[in-house]
């Protein structure tokens, strides 16, 4: 394991243990929007991660969801979601994680997603495969959208925006075996990487939600694109990830939904 990935793992697991220790205890909950929550635990988790990464890589740029940023000229930037699945966490629904990723000149090179409740640590490095608790993982072999188990999510502006992903959800709901909206984009992607989900799509995401998970899917043998099958851009936040085998079928549905 490289020092980069080692740092990502240490940061994600330390923060994840903190999330688990605080779960079920009193939270301070604020609203960033009508349905977009942030808690004191999100912020403390971010501080834990920032400290670990800043000690090891003080020159690297850093951007985390709750506002911690470090700029500069470094080619490297860390994207961090200190708690992916905040709504779940606030309601005691035990599906949440920490996502830590490192990007060098627009290429995701290392990522770790840690789910503390199940003690599952997903890791990937560019060119070195994807692992779950140290064991190699691969995407599923499902060939047919009709038998596929999919994941997705909805944006926080669902009440006021026209682009809500509801139309796409309706299209896939009648074509796939089943869809889950489990509430953590990072875990949805990690679950595609290890074959639990066959495919995943979502929109209006941020680099900290998806960078680690995209690398996991790619390194596990899957495919990640935008909704049309073109190259993804983590700053655009539109993602289609799959085992590769059902990718064309999913892209057709998404393309048709956009006209
Ligand atoms: C959210 C979750 C959710 C996805 C949202 C994300 P947060 O992140 O990943 O599954 O549908 O779009 O913003 O707010 O829990 O870190
Ligand atoms: Ca998130
Ligand atoms: Ca978050």
């Amino acid at each position: 394991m490289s020092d980069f990935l080692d740092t990502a793992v240490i940061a994600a697991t330390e923060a994840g243990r903190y999330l688990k220790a605080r779960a079920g205890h009193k939270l301070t909950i604020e609203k960033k929007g009508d349905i977009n929550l942030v808690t004191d635990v999100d912020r403390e988790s971010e501080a834990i991660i920032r400290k670990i990464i800043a000690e090891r890589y003080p020159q690297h740029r850093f951007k985390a969801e709750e506002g911690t940023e470090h700029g500069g000229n470094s080619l490297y930037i860390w994207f961090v979601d200190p708690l992916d699945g905040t709504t779940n966490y606030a309601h005691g629904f035990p599906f949440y994680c920490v996502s830590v990723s490192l990007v060098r000149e627009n290429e995701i090179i290392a990522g770790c997603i840690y789910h503390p409740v199940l003690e599952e640590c997903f890791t990937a490095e560019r060119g070195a495969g994807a692992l779950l608790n140290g064991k190699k993982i691969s995407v599923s072999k499902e060939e047919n959208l009709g038998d596929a188990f999919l994941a997705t999510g909805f944006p926080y502006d669902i009440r006021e925006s026209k682009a809500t992903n509801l139309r796409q959800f309706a299209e896939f709901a009648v074509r796939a075996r089943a869809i889950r909206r489990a509430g953590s984009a990072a875990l949805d992607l990690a679950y595609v990487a290890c074959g639990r989900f066959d495919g995943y799509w979502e929109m209006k995401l941020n680099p900290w939600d998806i960078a680690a998970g995209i690398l996991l899917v790619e390194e596990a043998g899957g495919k990640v694109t935008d909704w049309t099958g073109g190259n993804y851009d983590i700053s655009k936040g539109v993602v289609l990830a799959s085992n590769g085998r059902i990718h064309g079928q999913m892209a057709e549905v998404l393309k048709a939904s956009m006209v």
Side-chain angles (χ1 to χ4, degrees):
M1 191 189 293
S2 74
D3 286 347
F4 290 151
L5 185 60
D6 185 53
T7 301
V9 170
I10 290 168
T13 52
E14 189 158 332
R17 286 190 198 109
Y18 168 74
L19 299 183
K20 192 174 169 186
R22 287 284 315 268
H25 298 282
K26 197 176 155 24
L27 293 174
T28 305
I29 303 177
E30 287 166 40
K31 285 185 171 181
K32 295 198 275 189
D34 278 352
I35 55 168
N36 187 359
L37 308 179
V38 60
T39 74
D40 54 328
V41 173
D42 295 66
R43 296 204 173 97
E44 180 57 27
S45 175
E46 186 160 305
I48 291 168
I49 296 164
R50 174 62 193 146
K51 185 166 182 284
I52 291 166
I53 293 176
E55 269 164 12
R56 293 175 174 226
Y57 300 107
Q59 308 298 338
H60 283 187
R61 290 182 287 142
F62 182 95
K63 196 164 170 58
E65 177 169 15
E66 306 314 334
T68 311
E69 269 196 71
H70 180 77
N73 301 324
S74 171
L75 299 179
Y76 295 91
I77 179 162
W78 295 83
F79 287 109
V80 170
D81 194 333
L83 199 187
D84 190 51
T86 297
T87 308
N88 288 347
Y89 191 84
H91 288 268
F93 187 84
F95 192 75
Y96 57 84
C97 67
V98 179
S99 181
V100 176
S101 58
L102 180 61
V103 172
R104 184 185 189 275
E105 289 187 295
N106 287 326
E107 184 179 53
I108 312 160
I109 58 170
C112 176
I113 293 174
Y114 182 58
H115 183 181
V117 181
L118 296 177
E119 294 181 6
E120 289 192 323
C121 184
F122 296 89
T123 53
E125 276 185 277
R126 175 79 53 200
L131 308 174
L132 166 51
N133 289 346
K135 291 203 180 106
K136 199 168 164 21
I137 50 173
S138 307
V139 293
S140 75
K141 295 196 162 41
E142 184 54 58
E143 305 260 354
N144 299 311
L145 180 57
D147 297 317
F149 189 45
L150 304 182
T152 191
F154 301 100
Y156 284 124
D157 64 2
I158 192 166
R159 292 183 181 174
E160 59 269 4
S161 171
K162 286 209 170 89
T164 58
N165 193 28
L166 286 166
R167 253 183 318 127
Q168 288 75 15
F169 183 82
E171 294 296 332
F172 280 118
V174 293
R175 287 179 171 81
R177 174 174 292 166
I179 308 176
R180 296 293 175 261
R181 193 287 189 248
S184 164
L187 284 176
D188 290 340
L189 283 160
Y191 279 26
V192 173
C194 69
R196 293 174 187 163
F197 286 132
D198 303 304
Y200 162 77
W201 83 98
E202 199 168 335
M203 66 199 301
K204 298 187 184 175
L205 294 161
N206 288 291
W208 50 75
D209 298 309
I210 52 177
I214 287 174
L215 182 60
L216 274 157
V217 173
E218 291 181 329
E219 288 298 319
K223 186 167 178 178
V224 185
T225 65
D226 67 13
W227 281 11
T228 67
N231 290 343
Y232 64 78
D233 175 347
I234 57 168
S235 68
K236 297 225 166 87
V238 179
V239 179
L240 167 59
S242 78
N243 62 5
R245 296 166 170 92
I246 61 164
H247 208 86
Q249 296 163 71
M250 289 189 74
E252 283 311 311
V253 173
L254 290 170
K255 265 192 268 180
S257 79
M258 286 158 70
V259 289

